Structure formats: structure tokens, C-alpha cells
Amino acid sequence: MRTRERKETAGESRAGPGRGERTRTINRNFFLHIHAPRVHVHSMKPAYSFGLGIILGFLFLILILTGVVLMIYYNPSVEQAYQSVKDIVYVVPGGRIIRNMHRWAAQGMVIVVFLHLVRVFYTGSYLGNRSLNWVIGVVLLIITLLSNFSGYLLPWDQLAYWAVTIGSNIAASARELTDLLGVTSAFDPGGFMKRLLIGGEAVGQPALSRFFALHVIFLPLSILVLTGVHLWRIRKDGGISRPAASATDRSGNQKWYAWPVLMWTELALLLGTVAVILCIALLADAPLLEQANPSYPENPAKSPWYFLGIQELVSYSAFSGGLLIPVLYLAFLFSIPYVDREDRHVGIWFSGKRGWKVAGIAAGSTLLLVLSQLFVMIRYGWLRDWFPGISQGFVMLLNPATISAALFILASEMVRRRTSSTRMAALTLFTCTFVALLIFTAVGIWFRGPDWEFFWSPARWPVQ
Amino acid sequence: MDEQTYIARVQWLVLAGSALLLLLLLGAWIMEGRGRAWKQHQREYGRLVAGNADSLQAQDPAGMEKGIFQVELAHFDRVDRCVTCHQGMENPRMEGAAQPHAMHPGTYLADHPARQYGCTICHGGQGRALDKKDAFGQLPETYWPHPMLEQPFIQSSCGHCHLSIFNGDDPAGNGRASGMEVFLKGKQLFSAEGCLGCHRARGVGGILGPDLTKQGEKTKHEYSFQNVEGEQTVSNWLKAHFRDPEMVSPGSRMLRINLPEDELDALATFVMGLAKPGIPFDYFTPAALNEFKGIRDPMEGPSGYTTLCSACHGKQGSGKSYREYKTGIPAVGNRDFRRVASEAFIRFTLQKGRSTRQMGSWEEAISGITDPELDAVTRHLKQEERPAVDELLAQYEGSLRGGSSAGSGSPGEELFLRRCAACHGEEGRGGVAVALNQEGFLERAGNRFILHTLVYGRENTAMPGWPHLENQELTGLLTLMRSWYGVPGSRDPLDFTAADTDEGALKYHFLCSRCHGEHGEGETGPAIINEDFLQAANDRFLYETISQGRPHTAMFGWSTDVYNQERLDADDIAGIVGYMRKTAAEPFVYIYPGTNPGDRDAGALAFREYCTECHGEAGEGPVAPALNNQELLSAASNGYLMATITLGREGTEMPCWGFGNGSHPVLSGAQRQDLVAYIRSWQRIRIRF
């Protein structure tokens, strides 16, 4: 105790302000107040958190600032939307760069939010008191995707129009089941979801108005509020997760003052994030295709890339791919902290060596399983090609998505029995589903062409 | 690691980050601020103006306005910023300067001030854009549906407002058409190639192909370039499509257009100009506006044929060979068709089309072609140079005075054997056609009657006109006939103008229709109510034939005492003749097939032997016109079929079965009648006119 205090005093003399002043700096400032006055050394390790949460915050900040500028010039009417985006690109000083930054920061946010999820899961950060914060995090992930999706429509070009058309059809996936049961005319939850989303049977002015309102008010406000709760929970939980202190490692309990250590780190992350986004924005223009034309569908019409995994599943079966699997997946994500309560694993990447092995095997076998099913499907067709008269119910229940999901659940149950650890089971299921999601998304992005046929590259697509 | 080391490391990162950010911001500022192409162009233009200015009109480049200039065109729903770079557009000093500073060539801007028209309405391209690539919009990565147009295709833009397809060739209405020569050439080709035979434009034309009224508004995204080589532009697609429609658009039935490259360019330019843009109506020329409203100049016969028929039936009416094309097209421009097909036949076919064939109906409701225009086309198809009957008569009478004799071995006799005997029998004693060598006939029929019949033929009967024969040959035939029974007595003409035609109608129906048919189309007796006959026959001929009858035929004299028959007096006969003349002038409901005494079973055997090779087992005609379609059978009289079999069709593969030409057997009159009966037996319905 004495040694530590001396060390701190020595630090003070070199770094400037004294101990009380440092705490006051944090506590007096409204914006800095979300930080704890002191942070644990373990939390400052770059290779533990990678600063992903903070990067998300800064990306969101970029989005808010550039978004406000765009909103000043943008006109959310079907007739004017496209023209106003063109004016932003051509006439507004710096408009092209601002739009590019907004676009790429938004895409970046989707990527980073997934990485953040992966980091938090594999370090077991949902354990202990953090289960509620995990749930809030998953909700924030969903809102981020919705936010991005609602912004996708606003330029009102062909890319936007057909992507959202596809997205709205995914929302209507429940129709496949109700059609099969023959009750669609009486009970049509799919149609309800679609109408709720786009305000009609086809994308038009109602959809644009809805998406605009969601995109600029409702969703950002939700993110802001939930992020506040998210950060507040972190403070309440004693900072971000870390392994339980061991008696032998004394440095394991060391804390640094947030001012100035964390401040410098955050500044570096802010500068880095802005620089990277600006760099991409200078090099690559955000896409802007022809004005939306409802009579000429893009072929292939693809939803935004982060939904292409789902679109790939929907191409097997609308109900199971567009509703059943996503709902199961979300249920799994939400339930993780309530099923797995093995708090001893908190803050340790993969919960140690055994976890690395389990995750590795899970990832490898998923790769093998999903790719072999895709190979069979693309090369030899699926049930519908083999038995043309088969009921849609069979296709709905037996396709690469449902088969994989069933096998994943089976595998995680097996792991739970073998290791008698829920953490290992969760690790298995999370790894399997995430790798599968990556594969399906990659296939949707790069290997699907006109009519959703398989192509090795877009260069081989037939000329339209 | 202690706090200080950590901070030190992070501080390096912060330094690097801020340096990078500063650099990027500087880059962005230069790119967006100084580096914009339009700013460079404006500086360059300023230098040009300063260099060009003479002492009097020196312009201070520093005082020139700078910035983004734009023409806002709410009435065209566009904003054109082209003038931002093209500042010298209206500056006469910039004539011949390098782009983008050059003055606009020609006088276009005088008629189309940029303030009112902007640029992209004619040139295409993206008016809002401020850099060359996006403004030209020609590259695929610019995603602009209306790329800037190059010569000659830019002339298509003139068509958007100035085009009148039918209302004359003076698009601007002021006698000037400079600058759109290629477009106008394309318009000529559009008519000459008969595009409207299958396509519609502005409510006129066929229905086999797509409507072309707004074809020029289609963007390249609406075309498939799967089978088109070369650049992906609308003009290139159109040209490839003209050259080989089926290759470019699989399943297309369009015929190839064989034209040299520059004419294909012109045609593509014209098609790209077919549009009805959503701009205020006062920008259209009155002629174009009228066409959109359906008001247009009527088509003449020849131009109607070219515009509507020539694509399929050929510019000279030669048709398309049935052996070369899957769907051959009958020849309609040859002499045999013209003299065998009656106006009614042609008109009926135009009106109804052929249901099992490509030939569609040209009724106004379907094609937008008016009845007078169809009449004009009909007349054009039927049109032929005919020797004047009066002249022939004079020539004949002159030859009589000259004392030339016509007896055995005369050209008339030889000609009669070759041309007439197949139906009228040797020495005109009668065969499948009426006997000519007959006292009762020759006594009454005047020279004019006979010559008129030879020149015009007899509508809807098997007697075609022979206008292509030399005058001597025609008079020679008359001389021959006169040599059989001498000269008719000269008779005073009669005047039947006061006849009671109602009474005549009753009499005709009770007495004459038994043999001559209810409508005078001919039954066991010849056809007598048709324009050709009634023009040739004067009232005295008719009166005497009715009152005295025709010896050796079933036609007895109605003024003579015949057992059990009513006697007609002069007034009765006058009424009948009046009725006949009145009825012939009236339009008729059906085309009546007329008489044919053939035997269909015998005809079936003959058909199988001689006709199936081309016309098919059941007349469906794989390599010759289909005979079993109801429109043909409703349009063609038995006489038409008989004449076609007998004479064949010159210029096609249909041989002449009446006289033979060595390669085919000659069919007897009875055999030909059997064939007609067999063909007629396919008729299931009779279609109203």
C-alpha cells in the first residue's frame, strides 16, 4: 500500500496536477463525467478491448455532425430526393466529401459494432453483473442496423430503391408460412410488418417519409439514450470487464487516473477514426446510381450488404431464412448471459486454452459443414430440383440454413455435456453461428449474380 | 508498463494522427477548393478573354463573374450548369476556340436561347454535374441514363419537338431544316422501309411490333446488350438490331434492314427522336402537336403503300419468297394479281387481314388508317395503264375501213387459241365460260362492249382484264369474233332514266335471281350486277338480252311467249335494268363467291396431285400462300380462284394451269372447276365486309 502510494506521488510530480485535481477534472465536467475518475490498467490494454466501443462512439459523432449538414440540403420527397443528393455532391462545398464520410462512417459502424459484439462475447464480458448491459448492447446493434438500413433509401437511386424493396420483402417473410397454411387472407403478419415498414405494398413516398423520420430522429435518439445507459452501466459495473484479481499478480489491481491517461487514448482514437474515415472518403465515392425507377428492377437486386446473409437464407426459404433463423439467433444472443452464468470466465479471451480449442474446432467444422452444403446446393440443386412436386413445407424445414442451425444447436448441447460448461456451449454456438453468418454474407455479397445465380465473380455476369 | 510510458506512446499516436488529419484536411481543401475542374476552366477562360480583347472592347478578366452558373428550367424539370465551364458559348470572339470555351456553332442559340432551353434538353448529359465525366454521363460508372449525344445522333433531339411523321417535311414550319439533315433522311428511310407496317407511331400503324411513339425516350438500361457487340449505347443497339433483329432480340420476328452504314445511322437517329417528352405543349411545333391529337394529312396511295405495306410485300410488290422465309409474303405488285384481284378483294383483305397469317387488319379502329386512305392504297394496288376503249374502237373501225380482213390464221385467231380457248372453248363455242361464238350474243353486243370487257375484265368473275395486250391484238380478237357472226345492226340508244326501280327490284328477285344469283353475282347464269359489266353494257344491250333472250342458253326472251312464264313489258325491263345499275353502285355486305359447278371430291384428288406440294395437304401452305383461311375465302370469289388457277401468277411460283407452259400439265376446265369447289369447301364462315 505504501509502495503504491509512493509510486503515484512520483507519477504526479512528473505528470503535473495532483491527485485531487485529477478526480475533480473528471467529475466537474459534464461530458467527462461518464468516465470513472480512475480506470483499471487491464482496461487500458489495447489488445483487450481494441477501443472498439469508443470508436463506435466517435463514428456516431461523425455521423451526427455530417448528418446534420446533409439534412440541411436533403429534400425527402420522391421527386426531389435524388436531385438534392446530386446537388450535395456537385454544388455544396465539400458536400461530396461530407456525404462520403457519412456513408463510410455508417458502414464502418456496422462493421465495428459486430467486432465489438465479438470482442465482448469472447472475453466473456457479459458475465457477472453485466448481463443487462449485454442486452442493451444487442439492442444497440439492432438499432445500428436499422439506422443504416433507413439511411440506405434516402438517396432514392436504383441501388437504394431495390435494396429496400428486397428488405421490405424480407420483412414479409412470414407470408410463406401463412400462404402454406392458407390463412394469409385472414392472418397476415408478414404483410403487416411490410406495411408497417414501408407504408404500402411498394416502396414510395410513404416509405421515404418513414425512413427519413426514423433515420434522422427516432433511431439516433434511441442510440443516444441507450448509449447513455450502456456507459452508465459500465461505470456501475466498475469499468469494463477484466479477469478477477489474483492474489499473486499485484499489478492486476492497479488503477490509473482517467485524466490524463484515458483522455490521451481517446484523443488518439478520435484522430485515428476521423483520419481513416476522411481518407476513405477522399479515395472512394459513395455510390449513387440512376434515379429510382420502379419499372426497371436491378438484377440482381441486393439488400444492403449486412443483410445479404439473411437474403441468402431467404433465397432458400423466406419463412425460415427471413424470420425463423433471425428470431432464433436474436433469442440466442439475448439469452446468453442468463443461461451462461460461469462468472469465473469473465475478462479472459476464450476463457483460456480450452475455449480457444473449442472455438477453433467449431469454426473449422462450421466452415466445412456450410461450404459443403452450399456446394451441393449450387452444383446439384436442392429438394425443389430433385422432387419438383414437393410441398413447400419440406423446403421450409430442410434447407442449408435450418440444417446448419439444428446441427449447431446439437453440437453446443454435445459440448455442454462433454465439458459440463455452459460457457463452452455458448462459445460453440456463438462461433458456429457467427462463422456461418460470415459465410452466407460473403456468398451474398460476392458470389450471387442475376436471378441470384452463383457466379465466381461479377465479371462473369451475363451482360444486361 | 507504467502510466508515463503509456501516455508517451499514446502521445506519439496522437501526434501522428493529428498530422495525418491535417494533411488530409489540406488535401480535401485543395481538392474541393482549388482543384475543381470548373474553376480551372474559368481561370483559363479569363486568360483567353484578356488575350483576345482588342483595345476597344477590352474586358478585365478580374472583373468577370466567377462561380457556378446555372439555368434553372422548371418547365423542363431540370437544372443545367453547363455554362459554368462553357462560358464562351455565346461569345462571338470564342468562335473556333478550344473546348470548353468555344462558341456554340450554328444559329441554334438564336432560335433556342440558352436561358429558356438550357443545354441538356438537346445535348443530353447531366446538367447538374460540374465535372466533365459526370456531365457527359457517357461512361457506365456515371450512372446517367441520358448520356451526351454525339453527331449525328444529337439530331434526334430535334425530333422531340419538331418531328411530324405525317404532316409534311418542314419540321420547324419556317422552311428551315438546317442541322437536322440526317434526322430527316432517317424519316424518309422510316417511311421507305415500311416500318409502320408492323410498328405504330402516334396512333398509326400495324400491331405486330412494339409501339414506337416513345421509343426514343427509352434509356440504354431498357435495352439488353447481351448480343450486341461494341459500345453500349442506344444508337449502337438500334443499328445492331436493324442489321439482325433476331440475333439482338431473340424471338423477334422483325425483318432485317439491309442498308449502308450511314443510312443505318440516319434511321437510328430518327428512331431516337421518336418521343413525346413531358414538356409544355407550346414547345412542340403545331404539326407535331396535331399528330399527337390525331390530326394529320391523309396518305396518298403510293406513299400509303410504301409506309404500310412495303416492308413485307416489297417496295415493288414482289413479296417474299416462301422458300427463303419461314413466313413468305404474297406478291401484290405483279400484273396477274392486279388483273385478277378485284378492288373489293383488295379492300376486303386490307380491312380484315388474314387471321392465320402475319397480315393484320387495317381497320381504322386498329391501325389508325382512315377509309379514304385504304381506298387510295387499294386503287394504287389495282392501278394499271389501260388502253382507252374509245381509241381502240376508233382503231378497229379504221382498220375496217382500211379493209384488212381477219380470218383464219390472223393474229386474233392465234391469240384466241392461246389466251381465251382455255375457258371460252375452241372457236368460242363455250366451255367453262360463256359461249361467244353465238349469234344472239354477237348480234347484240356492240364493239365497245366487247373491247371494254377485254380491257377491264369482269369483276369477281374468272374473266380478267387484258390491258397488257397490244392494241392490234385486242382489235384482232374483236375482228375474229366479228368474223363469226358479222356486224351488229346499229341501234338507237335507249333511255331508262324514268324506270321504277322498286318494281324492278321485285321483278329481279322473283325472276332473275334464280339463275343470276340473289345479288347478281352469278349462279348458273353469268354475273350481271357488277360495275365492269354494267359499264360495258348499254341499256339497249341489256334490254334486248332480257327481252329476246340468248339462243342456245337457258336465258329465254322474257318478252316472248314462254309456257308458264310471266311476260315482261318494256317498263318492267327498264325497272330491272335500273335496279341492276343502282345496286351495282351500292356498297355490298359480302363478297359473293358466285357460281361454280365443280365437284369437290374430284377436286380433292386433283388438289392432292397438283397443289399440295406447295399449298399443303389442307391448304395451310408451307411454301405458298395459305388457302384455307377464312379471310381469303371470304374475300375471293370463285372467279378469282378460277382465274388464278387458270392464269397462274407471273413472277411467283404459281404456274399457269389453264394453258400450260410445258413444265406443268394442262388442267381441263372441269378439273379447274373441281379444284375451286374443293377449295371453297374449306369455307366455314362468311365474313361481312
Side-chain angles (χ1 to χ4, degrees):
Chain A
M1 193 70 190
R2 188 179 273 252
T3 340
R4 205 168 68 227
E5 258 176 27
R6 199 165 343 110
K7 232 179 199 168
E8 271 165 19
T9 334
E12 262 167 43
S13 59
R14 262 181 285 161
R19 174 181 171 176
E21 200 179 331
R22 286 179 172 196
T23 312
R24 270 199 301 283
T25 311
I26 290 291
N27 282 347
R28 268 205 306 256
N29 186 303
F30 175 78
F31 294 103
L32 299 182
H33 194 76
I34 47 177
H35 301 99
R38 296 200 304 164
V39 284
H40 200 276
V41 174
H42 185 270
S43 308
M44 301 298 295
K45 284 187 178 166
Y48 181 71
S49 70
F50 298 103
L52 293 169
I54 294 172
I55 290 175
L56 277 176
F58 291 144
L59 285 173
F60 187 62
L61 188 72
I62 294 176
L63 285 170
I64 295 279
L65 293 178
T66 53
V68 166
V69 176
L70 292 175
M71 207 170 129
I72 289 169
Y73 294 100
Y74 177 72
N75 182 343
S77 79
V78 168
E79 293 81 24
Q80 289 300 317
Y82 182 74
Q83 320 291 0
S84 61
V85 175
K86 284 270 175 187
D87 280 350
I88 289 171
V89 172
Y90 291 125
V91 178
V92 174
R96 188 176 62 90
I97 293 173
I98 289 169
R99 186 175 110 85
N100 291 352
M101 283 181 77
H102 192 78
R103 177 79 173 205
W104 301 133
Q107 308 281 317
M109 201 164 155
V110 172
I111 296 174
V112 176
V113 88
F114 269 107
L115 292 178
H116 188 52
L117 174 90
V118 168
R119 194 283 290 174
V120 168
F121 178 82
Y122 283 120
T123 55
S125 304
Y126 55 85
L127 295 162
N129 297 328
R130 292 183 167 82
S131 40
L132 177 65
N133 220 11
W134 165 267
V135 171
I136 293 170
V138 175
V139 172
L140 274 168
L141 173 117
I142 296 169
I143 296 179
T144 305
L145 291 183
L146 288 181
S147 223
N148 208 302
F149 181 65
S150 60
Y152 216 84
L153 181 66
L154 301 188
W156 202 250
D157 64 345
Q158 281 285 79
L159 184 69
Y161 186 88
W162 292 104
V164 171
T165 300
I166 292 290
S168 71
N169 288 338
I170 292 177
S173 296
R175 263 192 192 159
E176 195 192 21
L177 184 66
T178 51
D179 278 347
L180 189 69
L181 300 174
V183 296
T184 307
S185 54
F187 175 66
D188 185 15
F192 174 76
M193 287 299 293
K194 184 175 172 176
R195 281 191 299 278
L196 185 70
L197 186 66
I198 62 171
E201 281 303 313
V203 177
Q205 182 64 56
L208 188 58
S209 302
R210 268 162 213 242
F211 277 43
F212 183 67
L214 288 177
H215 187 73
V216 302
I217 302 208
F218 180 74
L219 295 172
L221 271 185
S222 314
I223 290 183
L224 214 57
V225 171
L226 285 173
T227 306
V229 180
H230 203 58
L231 296 176
W232 173 77
R233 276 306 317 171
I234 293 175
R235 275 208 68 177
K236 285 285 147 192
D237 294 335
I240 67 169
S241 64
R242 59 180 177 278
S246 71
T248 47
D249 183 10
R250 299 201 53 176
S251 71
N253 246 337
Q254 194 184 346
K255 286 195 172 180
W256 290 341
Y257 283 101
W259 182 273
V261 188
L262 187 55
M263 294 301 114
W264 278 112
T265 315
E266 285 182 358
L267 183 62
L269 283 173
L270 173 67
L271 289 171
T273 307
V274 175
V276 167
I277 293 297
L278 186 59
C279 192
I280 300 174
L282 288 178
L283 292 176
D285 281 339
L288 186 61
L289 269 52
E290 296 87 359
Q291 186 162 15
N293 186 345
S295 32
Y296 288 92
E298 294 273 288
N299 190 6
K302 289 191 174 185
S303 56
W305 64 266
Y306 37 85
F307 285 153
L308 283 181
I310 297 181
Q311 195 179 344
E312 172 73 17
L313 301 191
V314 166
S315 77
Y316 312 150
S317 154
F319 172 73
S320 60
L323 194 69
L324 186 66
I325 302 282
V327 165
L328 280 179
Y329 186 58
L330 286 180
F332 162 64
L333 287 183
F334 281 126
S335 65
I336 288 176
Y338 303 101
V339 176
D340 172 28
R341 315 224 54 140
E342 293 172 8
D343 293 349
R344 63 179 187 282
H345 293 302
V346 70
I348 304 162
W349 275 96
F350 293 94
S351 313
K353 276 209 176 113
R354 191 170 60 163
W356 278 100
K357 204 173 130 195
V358 168
I361 293 172
S365 34
T366 304
L367 207 64
L368 214 66
L369 174 78
V370 174
L371 287 183
S372 55
Q373 283 187 82
L374 282 172
F375 174 76
V376 169
M377 171 167 252
I378 288 158
R379 187 72 191 269
Y380 303 107
W382 203 251
L383 293 178
R384 176 74 50 215
D385 306 292
W386 304 332
F387 317 103
I390 199 171
S391 159
Q392 185 60 27
F394 287 102
V395 184
M396 204 187 286
L397 289 176
L398 286 178
N399 57 57
T402 49
I403 292 174
S404 308
L407 289 175
F408 297 158
I409 294 171
L410 213 68
S412 72
E413 177 60 18
M414 235 165 62
V415 170
R416 193 185 67 78
R417 294 207 177 159
R418 285 270 300 268
T419 61
S420 47
S421 155
T422 47
R423 170 68 180 156
M424 289 303 130
L427 211 62
T428 312
L429 196 51
F430 186 89
T431 309
C432 289
T433 48
F434 198 77
V435 170
L437 180 66
L438 284 180
I439 295 173
F440 286 128
T441 306
V443 169
I445 294 176
W446 290 300
F447 300 110
R448 290 295 182 180
D451 304 323
W452 214 246
E453 298 284 342
F454 179 85
F455 289 93
W456 280 112
S457 78
R460 298 182 182 212
W461 290 4
V463 185
Q464 291 295 309
Chain B
M1 180 167 47
D2 71 355
E3 203 176 324
Q4 296 311 316
T5 337
Y6 190 92
I7 289 179
R9 282 189 191 168
V10 173
Q11 276 172 336
W12 275 112
L13 275 179
V14 168
L15 189 67
S18 33
L20 180 65
L21 200 57
L22 273 176
L23 217 63
L24 287 171
L25 283 173
L26 188 73
W29 179 65
I30 291 173
M31 259 170 79
E32 289 294 297
R34 303 280 302 167
R36 300 293 292 271
W38 61 268
K39 292 192 178 177
Q40 291 171 3
H41 289 317
Q42 289 193 350
R43 282 195 291 273
E44 212 173 284
Y45 180 69
R47 279 196 293 276
L48 268 182
V49 168
N52 258 359
D54 54 35
S55 52
L56 280 175
Q57 291 182 316
Q59 243 179 310
D60 177 16
M64 273 174 49
E65 266 190 87
K66 293 229 163 82
I68 296 173
F69 304 111
Q70 61 183 29
V71 188
E72 281 176 68
L73 304 156
H75 49 296
F76 291 161
D77 191 23
R78 60 183 76 203
V79 172
D80 282 358
R81 304 196 171 112
C82 315
V83 282
T84 306
C85 292
H86 296 278
Q87 281 185 297
M89 192 181 69
E90 287 174 300
N91 184 348
R93 292 176 185 286
M94 290 296 143
E95 206 176 342
Q99 286 294 10
H101 311 295
M103 191 180 100
H104 197 294
T107 56
Y108 302 93
L109 290 183
D111 304 324
H112 307 83
R115 291 280 134 216
Q116 189 191 346
Y117 285 83
C119 311
T120 56
I121 194 86
C122 297
H123 286 273
Q126 184 171 190
R128 284 176 186 269
L130 280 170
D131 59 285
K132 186 175 169 183
K133 193 175 93 177
D134 284 343
F136 283 28
Q138 290 163 321
L139 299 172
E141 65 263 31
T142 54
Y143 297 112
W144 189 245
H146 306 289
M148 204 182 77
L149 296 163
E150 313 275 5
Q151 282 286 6
F153 305 111
I154 187 176
Q155 296 187 15
S156 67
S157 300
C158 308
H160 293 180
C161 302
H162 293 284
L163 169 64
S164 57
I165 307 177
F166 310 102
N167 293 345
D169 222 359
D170 185 8
N174 56 10
R176 279 186 301 174
S178 63
M180 51 189 293
E181 292 81 5
V182 177
F183 179 80
L184 290 178
K185 189 173 162 202
K187 178 180 157 181
Q188 271 168 18
L189 290 166
F190 187 77
S191 292
E193 295 299 317
C195 303
L196 290 180
C198 297
H199 295 283
R200 255 172 114 76
R202 301 189 176 175
V204 176
I207 50 171
L208 283 180
D211 192 319
L212 298 181
T213 307
K214 293 181 165 194
Q215 188 70 20
E217 290 173 38
K218 281 195 174 182
T219 63
K220 68 174 181 186
H221 305 286
E222 296 170 50
Y223 295 102
S224 164
F225 284 89
Q226 204 156 355
N227 302 316
V228 178
E229 282 178 20
E231 53 183 2
Q232 296 194 359
T233 56
V234 173
S235 53
N236 194 33
W237 188 94
L238 286 172
K239 279 163 64 185
H241 186 72
F242 296 152
R243 280 189 216 106
D244 194 345
E246 213 188 335
M247 215 248 315
V248 172
S249 315
S252 168
R253 290 184 297 170
M254 183 166 139
L255 297 162
R256 294 176 184 190
I257 303 176
N258 293 315
L259 289 176
E261 194 69 9
D262 61 323
E263 296 194 351
L264 284 180
D265 279 345
L267 194 56
T269 307
F270 177 78
V271 172
M272 287 162 72
L274 282 168
K276 189 186 175 188
I279 56 174
F281 279 144
D282 45 347
Y283 284 89
F284 294 99
T285 54
L289 211 52
N290 275 340
E291 284 188 359
F292 287 129
K293 286 191 264 179
I295 305 168
R296 60 183 174 86
D297 296 343
M299 276 188 251
E300 306 286 326
S303 69
Y305 176 83
T306 314
T307 311
L308 305 172
C309 318
S310 69
C312 297
H313 289 286
K315 295 191 176 68
Q316 307 300 327
S318 52
K320 297 251 187 292
S321 162
Y322 280 80
R323 298 199 186 275
E324 235 178 277
Y325 291 87
K326 224 184 282 171
T327 51
I329 290 151
V332 293
N334 63 57
R335 192 169 61 214
D336 283 336
F337 177 76
R338 275 204 298 274
R339 64 206 190 104
V340 167
S342 64
E343 280 192 17
F345 174 90
I346 297 172
R347 187 68 168 70
F348 182 92
T349 303
L350 288 175
Q351 188 101 356
K352 302 293 177 191
R354 290 280 151 82
S355 58
T356 57
R357 312 291 297 166
Q358 309 261 39
M359 175 80 179
S361 163
W362 291 94
E363 243 171 296
E364 185 169 7
I366 296 169
S367 66
I369 306 290
T370 61
D371 280 353
E373 286 172 323
L374 287 183
D375 289 340
V377 173
T378 306
R379 278 197 302 277
H380 169 70
L381 281 171
K382 188 67 182 157
Q383 187 186 42
E384 186 151 33
E385 234 173 83
R386 291 190 168 87
V389 177
D390 286 332
E391 211 173 285
L392 281 174
L393 202 58
Q395 222 169 335
Y396 173 73
E397 276 158 6
S399 75
L400 278 188
R401 277 192 296 277
S404 79
S405 66
S408 170
S410 74
E413 189 163 358
E414 197 240 351
L415 192 65
F416 190 88
L417 263 179
R418 247 184 328 117
R419 295 284 176 238
C420 315
C423 292
H424 290 287
E426 266 180 59
E427 294 195 356
R429 289 203 195 86
V432 291
V434 292
L436 302 171
N437 188 351
Q438 205 214 36
E439 192 179 358
F441 169 66
L442 286 173
E443 251 190 9
R444 296 197 186 95
N447 291 335
R448 173 184 291 278
F449 175 86
I450 293 172
L451 286 173
H452 190 282
T453 306
L454 281 173
V455 170
Y456 286 92
R458 189 76 34 96
E459 185 182 355
N460 279 342
T461 72
M463 174 66 185
W466 299 87
H468 54 292
L469 295 184
E470 300 286 328
N471 285 4
Q472 289 98 312
E473 291 179 308
L474 289 169
T475 53
L477 282 172
L478 179 57
T479 312
L480 171 75
M481 286 164 72
R482 287 294 170 219
S483 76
W484 294 333
Y485 269 102
V487 191
S490 67
R491 291 164 168 90
D492 304 324
L494 283 174
D495 183 18
F496 284 163
T497 44
D500 179 357
T501 54
D502 291 342
E503 190 64 25
L506 284 175
K507 289 266 186 295
Y508 179 88
H509 287 301
F510 282 121
L511 306 174
C512 315
S513 66
R514 277 179 261 168
C515 299
H516 291 287
E518 193 61 40
H519 306 277
E521 75 275 18
E523 268 292 328
T524 50
I528 51 169
I529 305 189
N530 65 56
E531 296 250 28
D532 286 334
F533 174 66
L534 290 170
Q535 264 175 30
N538 59 27
D539 286 349
R540 178 165 288 280
F541 173 86
L542 295 171
Y543 173 75
E544 287 187 357
T545 305
I546 295 172
S547 65
Q548 307 299 316
R550 176 93 29 106
H552 312 300
T553 71
M555 180 76 184
F556 54 79
W558 288 87
S559 302
T560 55
D561 259 329
V562 177
Y563 174 69
N564 227 0
Q565 290 291 346
E566 194 180 340
R567 259 182 75 162
L568 300 178
D569 59 24
D571 284 346
D572 294 335
I573 295 176
I576 291 174
V577 171
Y579 167 75
M580 283 163 62
R581 292 211 185 275
K582 194 181 111 196
T583 312
E586 278 173 7
F588 36 91
V589 182
Y590 295 103
I591 294 175
Y592 299 100
T595 182
N596 178 54
D599 171 15
R600 55 174 280 197
D601 296 328
L605 292 176
F607 191 87
R608 233 156 273 154
E609 188 167 348
Y610 302 116
C611 314
T612 43
E613 190 193 329
C614 297
H615 285 289
E617 199 70 41
E620 72 281 358
V623 290
L627 302 175
N628 62 355
N629 80 56
Q630 299 302 313
E631 284 83 359
L632 172 75
L633 292 169
S634 296
S637 63
N638 288 331
Y640 172 87
L641 298 173
M642 185 70 177
T644 306
I645 296 171
T646 305
L647 299 171
R649 184 108 357 128
E650 180 197 40
T652 73
E653 292 186 39
M654 176 72 181
C656 159
W657 297 94
F659 318 118
N661 56 2
S663 62
H664 290 274
V666 175
L667 298 182
S668 73
Q671 273 178 306
R672 282 178 273 136
Q673 283 180 333
D674 294 344
L675 280 174
V676 172
Y678 180 58
I679 292 169
R680 181 60 63 193
S681 73
W682 290 323
Q683 185 164 15
R684 297 278 166 270
I685 50 168
R686 185 178 284 177
I687 301 168
R688 280 174 71 103
F689 209 102

